[in-house]
């Protein structure tokens, strides 16, 4: 029972850290279903983390309501949806009637003005698809930051969090209708170009030490017990020159895993029953498919999102090698 409890706690804790954990309970459930555990243990292993996660979601939504007046689980969802919608905005005809709120219509008007100046600019799409990270969340001149700066004026950290959460609701009412109205364009202009970012994930922030500056925030100075907020390094770019190895390593290990997997299927003469008897392999493949789909469809991928999948790929590539050696 302690293993089920540990697994449940681990899933719960993962869920509190990153959005990638959204599909972890599904992977865990499949692992339990194909395991040799008793039926009651399987049920407990699926239900227990689900109850923990649901409780956490409800608690977070109520905490967000007290802080912002809106019930949300993630204060980032609306920003992400609006960002993703803007990736296809210049390729579709957006009908303002799809927006149900006055705020969403205002953002649409701001977006029309923004794109009217760059829609036909040579090289714009290349710039968008090569940009590291979420372009329309990060760029101050983009529609989202324009709307935020016009309507919200937070001064304290708490006010920043509250404002970020409040505008997230507004952005969701703008981004979601565009994506739902143009699913094919979303796949064509956001999902498919993001495959390149998945296979060769950019370093993003981790390529530059402390964003290239020689100061840290007061909270970081306090946390690390530094005597001053001034820091230094041999070279801010040095860590990026080292870590870029992992960008190409991730690409290589994906190809190597697929090669070994294909060879194993060929070696077993396409015997599905024999292949499925190696229960860990279908489970790993299931995880990697979910991770791939989630990574390319929800946000612009960067290297740090793929640390876990990289470890799993390396580990089970060695397992594949072991199978192939017999």
């Amino acid at each position: 029972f302690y293993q089920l409890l540990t697994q449940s706690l681990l899933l719960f804790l993962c869920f509190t850290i990153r959005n990638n954990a959204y599909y972890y309970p599904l992977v865990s459930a499949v692992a339990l279903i194909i395991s040799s555990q008793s039926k009651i243990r399987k049920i407990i292993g699926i239900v227990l983390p689900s109850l923990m996660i649901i409780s956490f979601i409800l608690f977070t939504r109520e905490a967000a309501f007290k802080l912002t007046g809106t019930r949300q689980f993630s204060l980032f969802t609306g920003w992400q949806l609006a960002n993703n919608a803007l990736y296809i905005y210049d390729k579709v005809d957006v009908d303002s009637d799809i927006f149900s709120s006055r705020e969403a219509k205002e953002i649409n008007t701001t977006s029309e003005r923004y794109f009217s100046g760059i829609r036909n600019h040579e090289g714009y799409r290349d710039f968008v698809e090569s940009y590291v990270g979420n372009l329309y969340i990060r760029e101050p001149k983009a529609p989202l930051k324009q709307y935020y700066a016009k309507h919200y004026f937070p001064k304290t950290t708490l006010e920043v969090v509250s404002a970020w959460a409040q505008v997230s609701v507004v952005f969701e009412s703008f981004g979601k209708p565009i994506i739902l109205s143009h699913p094919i364009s979303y796949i064509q202009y956001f999902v498919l170009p993001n495959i390149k970012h998945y296979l060769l994930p950019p370093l993003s922030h981790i390529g530059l030490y402390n964003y290239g500056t020689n100061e840290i925030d007061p909270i970081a100075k306090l946390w690390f017990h530094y005597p001053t907020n001034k820091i230094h390094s041999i070279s801010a770019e040095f860590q990026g020159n080292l870590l870029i190895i992992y960008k190409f390593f991730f690409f290589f290990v994906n190809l190597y895993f697929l090669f070994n997997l294909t060879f194993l299927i060929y070696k077993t003469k396409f015997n599905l029953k024999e292949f499925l008897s190696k229960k860990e392999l279908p489970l790993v493949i299931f995880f990697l498919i979910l991770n791939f789909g989630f990574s390319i469809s929800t946000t612009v991928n960067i290297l740090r999102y793929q640390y876990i999948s990289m470890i799993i790929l390396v580990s089970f590539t060695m397992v594949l090698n072991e199978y192939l050696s017999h």
Side-chain angles (χ1 to χ4, degrees):
F1 179 77
Y2 79 91
Q3 291 180 333
L4 295 177
L5 180 60
T6 303
Q7 172 75 353
S8 299
L9 288 172
L10 180 61
L11 280 173
F12 168 74
L13 292 174
C14 287
F15 213 83
T16 66
I17 297 172
R18 272 210 64 79
N19 291 342
N20 295 59
Y22 285 172
Y23 58 84
Y24 285 5
L26 184 58
V27 176
S28 175
V30 171
L32 284 164
I33 289 170
I34 65 176
S35 72
S36 58
Q37 296 284 336
S38 65
K39 184 178 292 186
I40 186 63
R41 286 179 180 271
K42 291 180 181 181
I43 293 173
I44 293 173
I46 294 172
V47 172
L48 184 58
S50 300
L51 290 175
M52 290 183 177
I53 290 168
I54 291 171
S55 299
F56 175 69
I57 291 173
L58 294 175
F59 171 81
T60 303
R61 283 171 57 84
E62 290 303 315
F65 179 74
K66 292 178 182 178
L67 178 65
T68 68
T70 59
R71 287 183 173 85
Q72 304 173 71
F73 172 60
S74 172
L75 308 185
F76 188 70
T77 299
W79 285 84
Q80 189 68 65
L81 286 170
N83 169 80
N84 295 1
L86 289 172
Y87 269 81
I88 70 171
Y89 195 93
D90 63 312
K91 293 294 185 180
V92 299
D93 294 323
V94 178
D95 184 355
S96 61
D97 291 338
I98 66 175
F99 304 116
S100 59
S101 68
R102 174 182 53 81
E103 293 83 359
K105 292 179 186 293
E106 180 183 340
I107 301 169
N108 185 54
T109 301
T110 303
S111 300
E112 287 177 343
R113 287 199 302 267
Y114 175 81
F115 282 99
S116 64
I118 61 175
R119 189 184 299 270
N120 298 318
H121 192 278
E122 185 178 355
Y124 168 69
R125 287 307 304 185
D126 291 335
F127 166 73
V128 170
E129 292 173 10
S130 62
Y131 188 89
V132 178
N134 293 297
L135 169 63
Y136 300 104
I137 292 176
R138 298 178 62 182
E139 286 299 301
K141 294 182 180 179
L144 303 187
K145 286 293 180 68
Q146 284 190 45
Y147 181 88
Y148 180 80
K150 180 180 178 181
H151 293 279
Y152 297 88
F153 312 97
K155 296 179 181 179
T156 66
T157 302
L158 188 61
E159 288 177 352
V160 169
V161 174
S162 180
W164 184 277
Q166 290 175 39
V167 79
S168 181
V169 178
V170 177
F171 287 161
E172 182 173 347
S173 68
F174 166 76
K176 185 184 289 187
I178 295 177
I179 295 172
L180 293 178
S181 299
H182 305 279
I184 303 302
S185 295
Y186 185 72
I187 293 172
Q188 183 177 358
Y189 297 111
F190 181 82
V191 176
L192 294 181
N194 205 19
I195 293 176
K196 178 183 70 175
H197 292 288
Y198 179 85
L199 294 175
L200 289 168
L203 296 182
S204 187
H205 304 317
I206 63 174
L208 193 64
Y209 178 75
N210 198 48
Y211 297 93
T213 67
N214 62 354
E215 292 186 358
I216 57 175
D217 291 335
I219 187 66
K221 171 183 173 293
L222 178 65
W223 177 266
F224 291 106
H225 304 289
Y226 288 163
T228 174
N229 68 333
K230 299 291 184 180
I231 60 171
H232 67 276
S233 62
I234 298 173
S235 168
E237 294 84 12
F238 181 68
Q239 69 181 40
N241 295 332
L242 291 177
L243 293 174
I244 198 170
I245 297 171
Y246 290 95
K247 170 180 179 176
F248 298 102
F249 177 74
F250 184 68
F251 176 73
F252 168 77
V253 77
N254 271 281
L255 290 183
Y256 191 52
F257 180 84
L258 287 173
F259 172 79
N260 282 350
L261 182 63
T262 302
F263 190 41
L264 179 64
I265 294 172
Y266 172 78
K267 188 177 180 180
T268 58
K269 299 180 179 176
F270 303 94
N271 188 324
L272 182 62
K273 185 176 180 180
E274 183 179 349
F275 180 77
L276 293 177
S277 66
K278 302 172 176 60
K279 294 182 178 181
E280 70 278 8
L281 288 181
L283 182 63
V284 169
I285 293 169
F286 179 61
F287 167 81
L288 293 174
I289 290 173
L290 286 179
N291 179 69
F292 174 74
F294 184 87
S295 297
I296 66 172
S297 63
T298 59
T299 187
V300 178
N301 189 60
I302 55 178
L303 181 63
R304 65 186 176 90
Y305 297 166
Q306 301 305 329
Y307 286 158
I308 299 299
S309 58
M310 190 186 303
I311 294 169
I312 291 174
L313 274 167
V314 171
S315 302
F316 283 91
T317 296
M318 290 189 288
V319 173
L320 277 172
N321 285 336
E322 182 68 20
Y323 283 140
L324 289 171
S325 65
H326 291 87

